[in-house]
Amino acid sequence: MFFLLLSFFAIAQQSGWDRLNSELAKLSDDSSKVMAHYKVSTELYKSAPQEAKDIAEKGYELAVENKMEEVELSFLNVIGVIESKLYHFDESIKTHFKVLRAREKRGDKQGAMLSLLNIGNVFNMSRDANQALIYYEKAMLLAREVNDLRNEANIAVNIGNIRAQGALKGSSKSDVIAAISYLLKTVDFCKRKAPEVDLYNCYILLGYLYLKNEDVNKSEYYTDLAIGIAEAGDFTYGICYSRINKANIFVRRGQFDLAQKEVDIIRSNIKKSGLHDLYDEFSSDFTKIAKAIQENDRNIVLTDVDSATRADSEAAELIRLKVREELREKYDTEKKELENRNLLLENAAVERESLLFKILLGGAAALLLMFILMLVLLQRKNRQLHMEKSKVEQARDEVKEQAEKIQLQHQELVQADRFRSRIFSVVSHDLRAPIANFQVLLSVSRLVDLPADDIKNTLIAIGQEVETASKMLDELLVWSSQQMSNESLTFQQLKVHDLVDECKLLFADRLRIKELTLLNKVDPQVVISGDLKRFEFILRNIISNAIKFSFLGKTVTVSHQELVQEVIIAITDEGAGMDAEKLQKLQGRDMQESYLGTFQEKGAGIGLMLCHEFANRMGWYIRMESKIGLGSVFYICIPK
């Protein structure tokens, strides 16, 4: 069996190089061959880290030979990651520092941020939480400076994890509360900027922290959120870690049967996934819960939130000490090396003065750093308050806008109901009258032989009523067809003079009967912008009304006035006119009462209402002036 394992390892060791050689055989130029090394090493580093490191180091040598400086840094970054994977933490940090210095020299803040993040990750893996926090904070500042929201969220979660584990291992309640406060802020940030896995990490940590803080309800709330994310992503590790805390919660409440069910669910998930190593990781948790159930003991002793790190090995401790001793504060002191060399050449007196100066300078730097940190924290708090204020104002505006919309809809419904009632009344009256008269004429003609003149006069009267009803139906059809189809406006250049002439031809018979003159005083060069169908309707309706209320032999005049802001089309008649009360009613946009013309012409009372509506849709408005016995003037006001 041992030899079989060795054979398998040898095959696996060769497979990566075989893949690389296969890639190289297809390539001719050196730069492509260098990139082939990079591609294969990044593909292998998780499954075969040592082989990936060998390939990456070879690729780095080729990059140096070909003077591919940017690719050199990429290879060094990969090598640093692989070294941490191999638990060579000191070599990994040295490699990442080398990349960091090169990126800082180039002014690459994004790259420097990633290097600081990698250094923090290595310290975190080596269990040196204090050093990890130092470099995470440095990386956080750069991430905000370059506006890298994704990495900012990642760093925030890493910091929250370190603080939470420290609080869970310790006995200080203030540490627990501080860790909860930090994670709650991180959750709010992650909801907007980070993927689900970061939210899961925050939720499960909050579940453990709230349970340690004796707030069982909040612990259950965040634990359930973590379970939801883990189960949605079919994440077995996440399901097990979150459900073991759910079992702890049930034990704390004395619901031992539910705690046992959670343990059974965890076992079922491990069996289903085939990750049998998880049985070992959770064995102590299972034993602890079983003991609590057996002894009816509600006091759960919390272990680390990450069960996989509970048994730190002695070798890991030695590595941690070695990393701390060799590299602690190395990055912060590197810039002072030249100053220290010069100080060694000074005599003792100068050395003492220099030392005193350094102490004062360090104190000033510390005070300055504290002041900057306070400014950053105040700025962050101010930004959060501003964001909250903006949200409140936005919500208030939305509520106000909704209220206005509801009020407007209510007014429209009331107006529509009033209009409908008026329509039914007019239609039932004006259509019934000619039909009833015609029926009477037929009935009488069956019983009595009426003179031809009487029949002719009666038919003329009925015809006038039918003409009025027909006009009313035409206006209703125009309005209703545009309402039902929600017809859009089509603006175009309109020559007012030509359209007035068309109306003059249209109303020629009516003008002749009343011996009226229609004067078109609009300049042929006047052009307005509007919807043709709606403008024709407005113009026809107002001219028709002017003819209707004009006295025999008078003049109807259409003229224009061009102002700075608008063009005004005026239709003037020399008719009956109207008093202030009637004028005020017509100025409104509701359906109006019908008034008889000078030759007793009837109307439906809806034409002017439709004119108001069409003008309003085009951004126009209609106003009017009138005096009894002197006529009326209707103004169509068209903004330029």
Side-chain angles (χ1 to χ4, degrees):
M1 178 62 72
F2 178 73
F3 291 108
L4 286 174
L5 289 174
L6 286 177
S7 300
F8 175 79
F9 180 75
I11 292 171
Q13 190 77 355
Q14 187 66 19
S15 63
W17 289 103
D18 288 343
R19 193 188 317 176
L20 176 62
N21 292 330
S22 176
E23 293 280 344
L24 294 176
K26 305 174 188 176
L27 305 172
S28 57
D29 60 295
D30 293 337
S31 61
S32 298
K33 291 180 179 180
V34 172
M35 296 310 298
H37 283 75
Y38 183 79
K39 176 185 176 184
V40 174
S41 63
T42 53
E43 291 173 350
L44 283 178
Y45 84 95
K46 290 184 178 179
S47 58
Q50 185 57 57
E51 185 178 15
K53 181 182 178 184
D54 295 339
I55 294 173
E57 289 177 341
K58 180 63 177 176
Y60 174 72
E61 294 175 0
L62 293 174
V64 173
E65 290 177 7
N66 289 276
K67 297 182 179 179
M68 301 169 66
E69 295 181 3
E70 189 62 37
V71 180
E72 291 176 29
L73 294 181
S74 298
F75 271 113
L76 286 176
N77 192 61
V78 171
I79 292 169
V81 172
I82 296 173
E83 286 170 341
S84 66
K85 190 95 176 155
L86 294 169
Y87 300 102
H88 302 160
F89 298 124
D90 50 351
E91 291 88 349
S92 176
I93 291 177
K94 289 177 182 177
T95 303
H96 284 306
F97 266 119
K98 189 174 182 180
V99 177
L100 173 62
R101 295 187 194 100
R103 286 174 171 173
E104 285 181 332
K105 187 176 181 181
R106 293 181 174 193
D108 180 7
K109 293 184 178 180
Q110 177 75 22
M113 180 271 295
L114 293 174
S115 293
L116 289 168
L117 175 56
N118 286 333
I119 294 170
N121 288 338
V122 177
F123 276 119
N124 198 14
M125 290 177 65
S126 67
R127 309 295 183 269
D128 193 339
N130 292 332
Q131 286 294 308
L133 283 174
I134 291 173
Y135 289 98
Y136 281 150
E137 292 290 350
K138 293 176 183 290
M140 175 73 81
L141 292 175
L142 281 179
R144 289 172 181 165
E145 188 174 346
V146 299
N147 198 29
D148 188 340
L149 301 177
R150 175 64 193 91
N151 277 308
E152 184 179 349
N154 182 29
I155 296 166
V157 173
N158 289 343
I159 294 173
N161 184 58
I162 292 174
R163 292 187 176 184
Q165 290 200 27
L168 288 169
K169 291 177 183 179
S171 58
S172 171
K173 188 172 183 178
S174 61
D175 289 344
V176 175
I177 294 173
I180 289 173
S181 176
Y182 184 86
L183 282 169
L184 289 175
K185 294 177 183 178
T186 304
V187 164
D188 182 60
F189 182 82
C190 290
K191 282 181 179 178
R192 293 178 280 116
K193 308 297 182 184
E196 290 284 274
V197 65
D198 287 340
L199 272 177
Y200 166 82
N201 289 331
C202 292
Y203 288 153
I204 190 60
L205 290 171
L206 284 168
Y208 273 89
L209 287 167
Y210 273 120
L211 185 58
K212 182 158 186 174
N213 201 38
E214 301 296 336
D215 194 338
V216 179
N217 291 333
K218 287 187 179 179
S219 176
E220 183 177 33
Y221 171 74
Y222 286 104
T223 301
D224 286 340
L225 289 177
I227 291 172
I229 293 175
E231 291 183 343
D234 197 19
F235 177 33
T236 303
Y237 286 94
I239 294 171
C240 295
Y241 292 144
S242 48
R243 285 199 174 275
I244 201 68
N245 196 50
K246 191 68 177 287
N248 291 339
I249 293 169
F250 286 137
V251 169
R252 182 63 58 84
R253 288 176 173 168
Q255 297 172 309
F256 298 111
D257 55 338
L258 296 179
Q260 184 59 50
K261 285 183 180 178
E262 291 296 325
V263 172
D264 293 340
I265 291 173
I266 294 171
R267 291 181 182 276
S268 174
N269 274 279
I270 294 174
K271 183 178 180 180
K272 178 182 176 181
S273 66
L275 302 172
H276 300 296
D277 290 343
L278 286 176
Y279 283 119
D280 296 332
E281 290 194 22
F282 288 99
S283 60
S284 62
D285 294 285
F286 294 157
T287 302
K288 174 189 65 177
I289 293 171
K291 182 180 178 183
I293 295 172
Q294 182 180 3
E295 297 178 0
N296 197 24
D297 183 5
R298 296 188 181 189
N299 294 319
I300 283 290
V301 179
L302 288 177
T303 53
D304 291 349
V305 64
D306 185 2
S307 298
T309 63
R310 273 182 278 170
D312 290 343
S313 65
E314 183 177 349
E317 291 291 339
L318 293 175
I319 291 173
R320 179 172 74 244
L321 292 174
K322 182 178 180 181
V323 171
R324 184 185 298 119
E325 291 171 359
E326 291 184 356
L327 299 170
R328 184 175 182 83
E329 301 296 331
K330 182 175 182 180
Y331 173 66
D332 292 330
T333 59
E334 188 178 44
K335 295 180 180 179
K336 296 183 181 287
E337 288 181 355
L338 290 175
E339 294 178 7
N340 293 335
R341 291 173 186 170
N342 292 330
L343 290 173
L344 292 175
L345 301 176
E346 299 291 337
N347 55 43
V350 174
E351 188 174 353
R352 285 193 298 271
E353 293 176 2
S354 177
L355 180 60
L356 178 60
F357 175 78
K358 285 169 62 179
I359 292 173
L360 293 174
L361 182 63
L367 290 173
L368 179 62
L369 183 61
M370 290 176 62
F371 178 74
I372 293 173
L373 183 59
M374 288 178 63
L375 286 179
V376 170
L377 292 174
L378 287 173
Q379 184 180 8
R380 181 179 179 185
K381 187 65 176 178
N382 184 57
R383 184 164 58 248
Q384 290 175 346
L385 291 173
H386 181 71
M387 290 174 62
E388 292 297 328
K389 181 180 177 182
S390 299
K391 290 179 181 178
V392 171
E393 291 178 350
Q394 182 179 358
R396 182 186 62 196
D397 293 341
E398 290 176 355
V399 170
K400 183 179 179 181
E401 183 179 353
Q402 290 296 327
E404 291 175 350
K405 287 182 179 179
I406 292 171
Q407 181 65 23
L408 180 61
Q409 290 172 354
H410 174 72
Q411 294 174 356
E412 290 176 351
L413 287 173
V414 171
Q415 183 178 357
D417 185 65
R418 190 185 304 122
F419 179 75
R420 181 193 63 189
S421 300
R422 177 64 177 162
I423 287 294
F424 285 158
S425 174
V426 171
V427 169
S428 63
H429 179 273
D430 288 4
L431 290 184
R432 184 176 58 187
I435 294 172
N437 291 336
F438 193 69
Q439 286 177 334
V440 170
L441 177 63
L442 290 176
S443 299
V444 172
S445 65
R446 290 193 189 103
L447 301 174
V448 181
D449 291 332
L450 295 174
D453 291 340
D454 291 344
I455 293 174
K456 182 177 179 181
N457 292 333
T458 303
L459 287 176
I460 290 173
I462 293 173
Q464 291 176 347
E465 293 178 347
V466 169
E467 182 181 356
T468 300
S470 176
K471 180 183 177 184
M472 175 197 68
L473 290 176
D474 287 342
E475 291 174 340
L476 282 175
L477 285 172
V478 170
W479 176 79
S480 62
S481 65
Q482 297 190 35
Q483 291 292 320
M484 293 174 65
S485 63
N486 196 21
E487 184 179 353
S488 60
L489 299 174
T490 304
F491 280 84
Q492 61 188 86
Q493 299 298 308
L494 306 175
K495 290 189 174 182
V496 182
H497 184 275
D498 295 346
L499 294 175
V500 174
D501 281 347
E502 291 179 9
C503 289
K504 187 174 182 179
L505 292 175
L506 180 64
F507 298 124
D509 291 338
R510 293 178 61 189
L511 291 168
R512 185 177 65 256
I513 290 172
K514 299 185 79 167
E515 300 179 5
L516 299 176
T517 301
L518 177 59
L519 292 181
N520 186 358
K521 291 187 175 182
V522 179
D523 190 333
Q525 303 301 320
V526 172
V527 177
I528 64 170
S529 177
D531 183 271
L532 176 60
K533 287 193 283 188
R534 288 165 177 78
F535 179 61
E536 284 180 338
F537 182 91
I538 295 170
L539 194 63
R540 285 199 307 268
N541 201 283
I542 296 178
I543 292 176
S544 176
N545 283 342
I547 295 171
K548 176 180 176 181
F549 293 103
S550 289
F551 293 120
L552 184 69
K554 296 297 183 176
T555 301
V556 176
T557 306
V558 182
S559 59
H560 85 281
Q561 183 180 6
E562 189 161 358
L563 305 179
V564 176
Q565 299 293 334
E566 60 185 4
V567 175
I568 298 176
I569 307 299
I571 297 95
T572 307
D573 66 68
E574 299 174 359
M578 57 189 124
D579 57 25
E581 181 180 356
K582 187 183 296 185
L583 185 65
Q584 185 176 4
K585 288 182 179 179
L586 289 180
Q587 188 68 57
R589 299 180 182 181
D590 293 335
M591 190 170 179
Q592 309 294 333
E593 295 181 16
S594 175
Y595 302 103
L596 295 177
T598 54
F599 274 25
Q600 300 302 302
E601 301 101 318
K602 292 183 178 180
I606 62 173
L608 190 57
M609 181 206 71
L610 297 181
C611 290
H612 278 302
E613 181 173 336
F614 289 164
N616 184 54
R617 284 200 63 190
M618 291 188 290
W620 304 357
Y621 65 95
I622 298 173
R623 61 183 178 87
M624 55 202 74
E625 297 174 356
S626 183
K627 291 184 179 180
I628 295 178
L630 298 178
S632 304
V633 184
F634 283 73
Y635 299 99
I636 306 171
C637 302
I638 307 163
K640 288 187 177 179

